[in-house]
Amino acid sequence: MKTIIKIAWRNIWRNKLRSLIVITSIVLGLWSGLFTVSMSLGLNEERIKSAINTYLHHVQIHNPSFEYNLDINSLISDPINIEEELEKNNLIKAFSKRIIISAMASTAHGSEGVKVIGIEPKNEIYFSDISKKIIKGNYFSKTKSKPILIGKKLADNLKLDLKKKISVTFIDENGDLQRIKFKVGGVFKTGNSLHDGGNVYVNKEDLINLFKYKSSIHEIAILANNINDSDHLKDQLSNDFPKNKVETWKQISPEMGMVQEIMVPFLYIFMSIILLALSFGIANTMLMAVLERKRELGMLMSVGLNRTKIFLMILFETIFISCVALPIGISMSYLMISYFGQVGIDLSIFAEGLEAFGMKSMLYTKLPFNYYVNITILTLFVTFISSLFPARRALKLDPAEAVRSL
């Protein structure tokens, strides 16, 4: 067996140019495929992270009928006991109580339908990223008379600026039309233009007088210590408070959850297609090597080298080419993915399009370690499969005819 391995190793370097071309193609295929995969994972993770930290969060609690029509009377049942339970729960990092009203925001330049979110500014600053997204003005610190935070897209649509007034019209709990004037205290810009154009933030105290009870809330948003705790936390809270509807971020935004679920199989399919294309090149190259050495193989068979050893020799030649290319391709991919995972790739030229999908213009590549291991195994498997055809072709050679061939 040692002799067969030595012969196979020497054979791949008999035609260095051909072997190097195959090795280079495998290296470039692995590098381009893994780097593309890392970009896709990075984009998706940044999208989810931005959504969770800004407006989605890990778990949300509502009245069962609230999410369908944002009815101002669809309040959470037993909010005081829920708050006490959340404060004791070890899975929870932070939570926020909110009043949410569907309203019409208007100025002299037009009107837009918005979701008015009443928050507790001092608590919210440790809970969501809105305070970090302020690009103009401040976060509920200087404006004393009913401050409001609006998104940049909404500000552009309604031609609003700092200290300008905006009227918010809505139906109160008695069915009467109400109008409240707010003063723009800050303009924020998140990675999601849809969110920036349809959501405004006000002080919860400026809305609480509209309700009979001071404890009235429409939403409790929760951040868990770990995103993987979301499902367990949801089941736990659903059992404790069955009158309310508890949902995870995947249920609130099913399209985002679906993308995450299909991302892993999609990426493996993508890499499989690249490796499948490479396998045709490897099989073709090894078949050429077999046909060029037709006379040599015939002589080896004539002097007693059995067909099993011929098969193994061709098999080892193919695997050795892969074993040379794999460490180089994986190392190149790891170094580049790690580098751009720290530095990032500036996609600001596509910023407007990315924001429409809730993505940031700065992309950080990411690829878990298990991907490298699985792709290495997948590459070796594909290489093994691609070696079978040329090895089988070698077994079909007739020694007498092969020796007489040119």
Side-chain angles (χ1 to χ4, degrees):
M1 182 63 71
K2 289 184 179 179
T3 303
I4 295 297
I5 292 174
K6 287 181 180 179
I7 294 173
W9 176 255
R10 290 173 182 172
N11 281 341
I12 66 173
W13 300 113
R14 288 170 64 179
N15 192 325
K16 293 182 179 178
L17 179 60
R18 181 170 59 202
S19 297
L20 287 173
I21 289 174
V22 177
I23 290 170
T24 302
S25 66
I26 296 175
V27 168
L28 293 178
L30 285 171
W31 168 75
S32 60
L34 289 175
F35 192 73
T36 303
V37 166
S38 71
M39 289 179 65
S40 300
L41 285 174
L43 274 173
N44 189 57
E45 182 164 305
E46 282 297 319
R47 182 188 178 203
I48 293 174
K49 183 179 177 182
S50 176
I52 286 175
N53 291 336
T54 304
Y55 64 91
L56 198 55
H57 312 297
H58 292 142
V59 178
Q60 291 186 19
I61 303 175
H62 301 102
N63 182 293
S65 63
F66 174 74
E67 63 178 344
Y68 299 109
N69 53 16
L70 297 183
D71 182 10
I72 195 170
N73 291 310
S74 297
L75 301 170
I76 288 178
S77 299
D78 203 11
I80 296 175
N81 287 336
I82 293 177
E83 182 177 358
E84 291 175 354
E85 179 66 27
L86 296 182
E87 288 176 348
K88 295 184 294 184
N89 198 309
N90 294 327
L91 296 177
I92 295 174
K93 180 180 179 181
F95 65 92
S96 175
K97 300 173 295 178
R98 298 168 174 174
I99 291 175
I100 299 178
I101 297 173
S102 179
M104 184 67 69
S106 57
T107 66
H109 300 282
S111 59
E112 294 278 347
V114 296
K115 184 194 291 185
V116 181
I117 305 173
I119 61 174
E120 298 172 338
K122 290 183 179 180
N123 294 332
E124 195 81 14
I125 197 171
Y126 302 108
F127 181 77
S128 75
D129 281 349
I130 289 297
S131 61
K132 302 174 185 176
K133 306 293 184 180
I134 303 295
I135 58 173
K136 292 175 70 175
N138 55 79
Y139 178 79
F140 294 107
S141 60
K142 294 182 180 179
T143 305
K144 296 180 180 179
S145 176
K146 292 188 174 64
I148 186 171
L149 301 181
I150 63 173
K152 185 178 184 303
K153 184 176 181 181
L154 183 64
D156 293 339
N157 291 343
L158 298 181
K159 295 180 173 56
L160 282 168
D161 206 344
L162 297 179
K163 297 184 179 180
K164 298 291 185 180
K165 290 189 177 181
I166 177 173
S167 295
V168 176
T169 306
F170 58 92
I171 304 296
D172 67 12
E173 62 179 352
N174 297 317
D176 298 324
L177 195 66
Q178 294 280 355
R179 175 176 292 179
I180 302 178
K181 286 191 176 182
F182 292 92
K183 185 180 290 186
V184 178
V187 178
F188 62 84
K189 183 180 180 182
T190 67
N192 190 326
S193 59
L194 294 177
H195 178 266
D196 294 353
N199 294 271
V200 298
Y201 293 84
V202 301
N203 195 321
K204 181 168 167 272
E205 295 300 318
D206 293 332
L207 298 178
I208 199 66
N209 293 328
L210 300 171
F211 299 89
K212 183 178 180 180
Y213 301 104
K214 297 295 182 182
S215 60
S216 298
I217 51 174
H218 293 113
E219 175 181 282
I220 298 179
I222 302 169
L223 276 181
N225 290 317
N226 191 305
I227 191 172
N228 296 323
D229 295 332
S230 301
D231 291 326
H232 178 66
L233 184 59
K234 177 250 181 186
D235 293 337
Q236 184 178 331
L237 294 174
S238 295
N239 291 331
D240 292 341
F241 305 102
K243 291 183 179 180
N244 296 302
K245 187 171 185 178
V246 185
E247 297 174 294
T248 64
W249 64 274
K250 290 182 181 180
Q251 294 170 314
I252 298 166
S253 181
E255 73 285 352
M256 198 172 291
M258 184 183 67
V259 169
Q260 189 191 44
E261 292 294 331
I262 68 173
M263 184 64 74
V264 174
F266 169 77
L267 296 179
Y268 280 119
I269 291 171
F270 176 74
M271 283 303 302
S272 297
I273 292 172
I274 292 178
L275 293 174
L276 181 63
L278 288 174
S279 70
F280 285 103
I282 295 171
N284 183 58
T285 301
M286 294 309 301
L287 184 60
M288 288 173 59
V290 167
L291 295 177
E292 285 179 1
R293 290 153 43 204
K294 197 174 181 181
R295 186 175 183 182
E296 176 187 324
L297 293 172
M299 291 178 63
L300 289 173
M301 291 179 184
S302 299
V303 297
L305 194 67
N306 60 42
R307 293 180 180 274
T308 301
K309 291 181 178 179
I310 293 291
F311 179 87
L312 289 175
M313 184 178 69
I314 303 300
L315 185 67
F316 280 130
E317 287 179 27
T318 312
I319 291 175
F320 283 152
I321 289 176
S322 181
C323 288
V324 172
L326 259 172
I328 301 173
I330 294 294
S331 298
M332 279 179 57
S333 302
Y334 176 77
L335 291 173
M336 288 201 68
I337 291 169
S338 299
Y339 174 77
F340 285 108
Q342 295 292 327
V343 177
I345 302 173
D346 188 3
L347 301 176
S348 55
I349 189 172
F350 307 110
E352 187 175 347
L354 290 172
E355 285 179 5
F357 292 96
M359 300 177 185
K360 295 181 180 179
S361 59
M362 203 68 182
L363 166 64
Y364 295 93
T365 54
K366 179 184 179 181
L367 194 64
F369 179 76
N370 65 298
Y371 276 83
Y372 295 104
V373 176
N374 294 338
I375 294 302
T376 298
I377 296 171
L378 183 60
T379 304
L380 290 173
F381 175 74
V382 170
T383 304
F384 171 77
I385 296 299
S386 64
S387 69
L388 296 179
F389 179 70
R392 184 171 176 272
R393 182 69 179 81
L395 295 181
K396 288 185 175 182
L397 292 176
D398 181 73
E401 291 182 7
V403 169
R404 289 195 299 269
S405 64
L406 296 177

